[in-house]
Amino acid sequence: MITIALSKGRIFEETLPLLAAAGITPAEDPEKSRKLIIGTNRDDVRLIIVRATDVPTYVEHGAADLGVAGRDVLLEHGGDGLYQPLDLDIAKCSLMVAVREGYDYDAAVKQGARLKIATKYVKQAREHFADKGVHVDLIKLYGSMELAPLVGLADAIVDLVSTGGTLKANKLVAVEHIRDISSRLVLNQAALKLKRDRLQPMLDAFRGAIGTGR
Amino acid sequence: MRRNLLDLFARYGYELVQPPLVEYVESLFTQDDRALDLKTFKLVDELTGRQMGLRADITPQVARIDAHLLNRQGVARLCYAGSVVTTRPDGILATREPRQIGAEIYGVAGIAADVEIVELMVESLSLAGVTDLRLEIGHLGLFNALADAAGLRGELREQVFVALQQKDSPGLRELTADLSAEAAAGLLALASCYGDGGVMAEARAALPALPAVTAALDTLESLQQALAVRGIEIGFDLSELHSSYYHTGLVFNAYTPGFANAVARGGRYDSVGEKFGRSRPATGFSLDVRALTQLPFPSVKPGILAPAGDAPELVAAIRALRQQGETVIVDLGVQADEVAYDRKLQQAGDQWQVISLTMG
C-alpha cells in the first residue's frame, strides 16, 4: 500500500493532474467528502487528507510514504529525514514582509533597530531579519496575520502572498520579498528504499508531467 | 539479544572492549568533531577542573584503544556493547540513550574487511529477527571528489552536503548555480543515482571521470560482487552520506519495514585514530539493540513460589532448586500475586515438594 499525504484546497487541486499522469484518480473529492482517507482507482494507492503543516510529519514518520508540502512548510519543519527530489511547481506564491499602508518600513529596518513581527513562519522570519542585522521580537500567530499591524500587535508581518488580495482588503502593502515558494514532493527515506519498485515509476511520472529541467 | 550478538562477534574472532562511560572530552572526539561535540553531555571534573563528557558514540573510544592500548601492527578486530547518551536523539522517535553494539576492524585498507563487516552486520540483524532487509551502500569519496573539483568550501559545501542527503535537486540547482556547468551537473547527478545494479552504469556515464570518482565506483562494484557471492543483495544510494561524522569512504545503511530510521549503519573511517597519534584504516558497523527489541520488558519465565521461613529443610530445598537453574521467588507476604509463578513449593511431611499450579 502506498499512502500519499495531501492537504485540502489549492495543493490538492493542483496535484490532481500530476496524479493523473501517474495513473491515479481519487475516488472522492475531499471538499465534498468528510473522509480523511480517500481511495483511488488503484487498489494499492490511497490518499490521506491532512493539514498542510502536518504533511512533513506524516511522511517523516512513515505514516505516509510521500506527500506534497509547500517549501514554506518544509523550511519551518527543517526537512531532516525527508527526501525532497522534485519541485512540483504548483501552489506558487511568495513569502513577503508586509506592513500597514503609510508605515515607513525602509526607515524602520535600519541595522540595529528593533521591530515586532507577527508570523506563522517564525524560523524563516528569524533568519531573514538576522541576515539584515535587525533585532526582531517574533510573535507566533496561527492565522489572520493581516490583523496584527492593524491593531498594533506588530509593526510588520511575514506571510505568504499569492494574489495580494487579502493584503489589499486589509490596507496592507508588501514591502519586501523573502523568497518564492512552490510545493515540493517529499518522500519518506525508508519508503524510497523499501518500496522503490512502486515509488520510482510514480516519481518519474510526476517528473514527466512537470516538464524537464526540474 | 546483546548476549547473542556478542557471542556471534566472538565466533568471527572479535575481542570485546569496554571503554568507560565518562571520559575527558579530548578522548571522546576524533579531529574537530563539532557535531559529535554538540551531541555530548558534559560535566566538569572537580578534581582536575577539566571537562569530561558522557560518550555519545563508542567508535572514537575504540579507535583510541586500538591506537594506544593495543598498538598492534597487524589487524585488530574489536567489538563493544554499551549505552551511549546523546543530547539530541538521532532520529524521530529515537531514544537519547541507545544501547550501542558494534564491531570494527582496524588495520585493513582492502575491501575484504568491508565485506566481512557487512556480512557480520547482516547476520547480526537476522539474529535480531530482522529478515526483510534492504541494504544500501554509498561512498563519501564521490561527494568529496566532486566538491573538491568544484572548489566547494565552508558553508556552501555544508549546504550542498545537506541538500544531497535530502535528495533536494531543486535546492542543489540553486546552490550550484554559480559553479561550472560540469561541476554542477556532477553533483546533481549524484542526487539521482540510487537503486539497484543499473545505477553503477548510470553513475559512470553521468559523473565526471575524476580518478577518485572512478576508484570509488570500482570499490562499490567490487563490494557488490563480493557480497553477491555470500547471498547478500545490496542497493546503491550514492547521495547517502549521513552515517556519521568521521566516515571517509564506503557507508552502508540497513533498512527494514516498520522503522523510519536505518536499523544498522556503518562504513569506513580510515583516519579516525589520527588524533590519538596513529592513523589506521578502519571499518565497522553499529546498531541500537534497544530499538530492535522494542519490548518494554523482557518476558520472564514463570518461577516457583516458596514460603518464607527459617526451617533448614526449606532453605536447603530453595537453594537446591536455584542451583538447578530454576527461578525461586520467596513469598514475603506482600502482593505475591504480582510475580510470575506457575508452581509452588509445599511441605509434605518433612519433605518440600514442587506442586504444579497449572490446571490439567
Side-chain angles (χ1 to χ4, degrees):
Chain A
M1 176 62 80
I2 302 283
T3 304
I4 307 177
L6 294 173
S7 55
K8 262 192 206 179
R10 200 167 155 202
I11 286 188
F12 186 86
E13 281 156 29
E14 296 186 19
T15 307
L16 280 180
L18 299 174
L19 289 175
I24 301 166
T25 327
E28 285 172 83
D29 178 355
E31 300 295 345
K32 293 183 187 130
S33 160
R34 301 191 65 158
K35 276 193 199 161
L36 296 174
I37 299 182
I38 296 182
T40 66
N41 59 328
R42 279 175 56 175
D43 285 341
D44 63 335
V45 179
R46 61 178 182 179
L47 308 179
I48 58 171
I49 305 300
V50 301
R51 271 190 81 119
T53 43
D54 290 338
V55 170
T57 311
Y58 275 84
V59 176
E60 189 184 2
H61 284 253
D65 298 299
L66 66 162
V68 176
R71 179 130 186 260
D72 51 323
V73 172
L74 283 170
L75 286 169
E76 285 301 311
H77 176 269
D80 280 351
L82 294 170
Y83 288 143
Q84 36 176 317
L86 282 181
D87 187 343
L88 298 175
D89 213 17
I90 57 169
K92 287 164 93 164
C93 50
S94 305
L95 189 69
M96 310 273 268
V97 181
V99 296
R100 208 175 58 236
E101 270 174 17
Y103 180 87
D104 191 353
Y105 180 71
D106 288 331
V109 291
K110 284 201 193 75
Q111 204 161 28
R114 192 171 185 116
L115 287 178
K116 277 192 286 182
I117 308 289
T119 185
K120 193 154 86 177
Y121 308 98
V122 176
K123 202 168 159 186
Q124 292 163 85
R126 183 184 298 125
E127 274 165 24
H128 174 70
F129 286 103
D131 281 350
K132 293 168 74 82
V134 176
H135 294 288
V136 285
D137 293 313
L138 293 170
I139 301 169
K140 163 96 183 181
L141 293 179
Y142 291 84
S144 304
M145 275 157 281
E146 293 79 6
L147 193 58
L150 301 178
V151 295
L153 178 64
D155 300 315
I157 60 171
V158 168
D159 197 11
L160 293 182
V161 179
S162 53
T163 59
T166 320
L167 289 185
K168 208 170 224 170
N170 290 292
K171 296 198 163 52
L172 298 180
V173 280
V175 285
E176 199 169 14
H177 176 268
I178 300 179
R179 63 167 54 89
D180 287 324
I181 300 285
S182 61
S183 288
R184 295 281 183 90
L185 184 76
V186 292
L187 280 159
N188 176 272
Q189 295 192 340
L192 183 61
K193 297 179 191 303
L194 297 166
K195 302 181 184 172
R196 204 184 87 87
D197 51 334
R198 279 180 293 164
L199 288 177
Q200 192 62 40
M202 240 182 247
L203 221 65
D204 293 338
F206 291 159
R207 188 175 285 129
I210 348 168
T212 47
R214 292 207 168 269
Chain B
M1 179 155 76
R2 178 178 158 276
R3 168 89 263 146
N4 293 340
L5 288 174
L6 289 177
D7 287 347
L8 172 71
F9 296 166
R11 287 200 293 279
Y12 274 73
Y14 287 76
E15 296 165 73
L16 181 65
V17 291
Q18 292 186 306
L21 188 59
V22 184
E23 280 200 87
Y24 291 126
V25 283
E26 304 88 79
S27 316
L28 288 174
F29 313 137
T30 63
Q31 298 119 21
D32 50 341
D33 217 331
R34 253 183 46 229
L36 189 55
D37 193 355
L38 287 175
K39 273 176 73 179
T40 306
F41 280 104
K42 298 184 191 78
L43 55 137
V44 171
D45 178 10
E46 295 198 353
L47 283 180
T48 58
R50 286 170 69 190
Q51 205 175 28
M52 304 189 83
L54 269 164
R55 65 179 177 208
D57 193 349
I58 298 183
T59 294
Q61 294 187 303
V62 178
R64 192 157 160 269
I65 290 176
D66 172 70
H68 282 309
L69 296 179
L70 298 177
N71 205 9
R72 288 193 194 139
Q73 293 313 306
V75 53
R77 286 186 171 87
L78 303 173
C79 65
Y80 56 83
S83 286
V84 297
V85 190
T86 58
T87 53
R88 269 174 296 184
D90 265 338
I92 43 159
L93 304 184
T95 167
R96 295 207 296 169
E97 194 196 337
R99 257 329 127 72
Q100 210 180 30
I101 186 163
E104 314 191 336
I105 300 180
Y106 287 86
V108 184
I111 195 162
D114 300 298
V115 174
E116 180 176 316
I117 285 291
V118 174
E119 195 185 0
L120 187 55
M121 175 165 106
V122 171
E123 204 171 324
S124 303
L125 286 170
S126 90
L127 195 68
V130 179
T131 44
D132 190 355
L133 194 65
R134 167 86 189 168
L135 207 60
E136 298 256 334
I137 59 173
H139 200 300
L140 272 172
L142 292 170
F143 169 75
N144 288 336
L146 293 174
D148 287 345
L152 281 180
R153 248 177 277 113
E155 199 177 337
L156 185 59
R157 188 176 175 126
E158 237 163 76
Q159 286 173 339
V160 170
F161 189 85
V162 170
L164 265 176
Q165 283 182 24
Q166 300 181 355
K167 300 201 196 315
D168 180 1
S169 303
L172 272 177
R173 216 167 277 122
E174 257 170 52
L175 289 169
T176 56
D178 296 335
L179 302 179
S180 74
E182 195 200 12
L187 286 165
L188 267 171
L190 208 53
S192 53
C193 283
Y194 57 88
D196 297 315
V199 174
M200 279 294 117
E202 203 182 296
R204 281 189 201 277
L207 300 177
L210 301 164
V213 169
T214 316
L217 293 175
D218 289 345
T219 310
L220 287 172
E221 237 166 0
S222 39
L223 181 63
Q224 183 194 27
Q225 283 156 10
L227 289 171
V229 172
R230 289 162 175 80
I232 299 170
E233 255 182 67
I234 54 173
F236 296 103
D237 189 338
L238 301 189
S239 58
E240 184 69 71
L241 308 167
H242 70 130
S243 242
S244 259
Y245 331 100
Y246 38 70
H247 283 115
T248 52
L250 279 175
V251 287
F252 32 86
N253 290 301
Y255 295 86
T256 189
F259 288 84
N261 305 310
V263 285
R265 43 186 48 171
R268 197 160 258 290
Y269 30 90
D270 282 344
S271 55
V272 72
E274 202 172 330
K275 190 189 154 198
F276 305 126
R278 194 156 172 250
S279 185
R280 294 233 286 171
T283 181
F285 83 95
S286 71
L287 53 88
D288 175 12
V289 213
R290 186 175 274 180
L292 281 177
T293 49
Q294 289 202 332
L295 291 170
F297 298 102
S299 58
V300 267
K301 206 178 111 208
I304 302 167
L305 190 72
D310 299 326
E313 297 83 19
L314 174 61
V315 174
I318 291 174
R319 189 170 290 163
L321 282 169
R322 284 186 180 147
Q323 267 165 7
Q324 288 162 28
E326 291 286 358
T327 304
V328 184
I329 306 146
V330 174
D331 182 358
L332 299 176
V334 186
Q335 303 270 328
D337 289 346
E338 289 180 5
V339 298
Y341 63 90
D342 59 356
R343 286 155 298 165
K344 230 174 182 169
L345 196 60
Q346 268 183 2
Q347 197 167 20
D350 54 356
Q351 292 280 313
W352 286 89
Q353 283 181 341
V354 176
I355 312 286
S356 174
L357 293 176
T358 44
M359 298 296 156

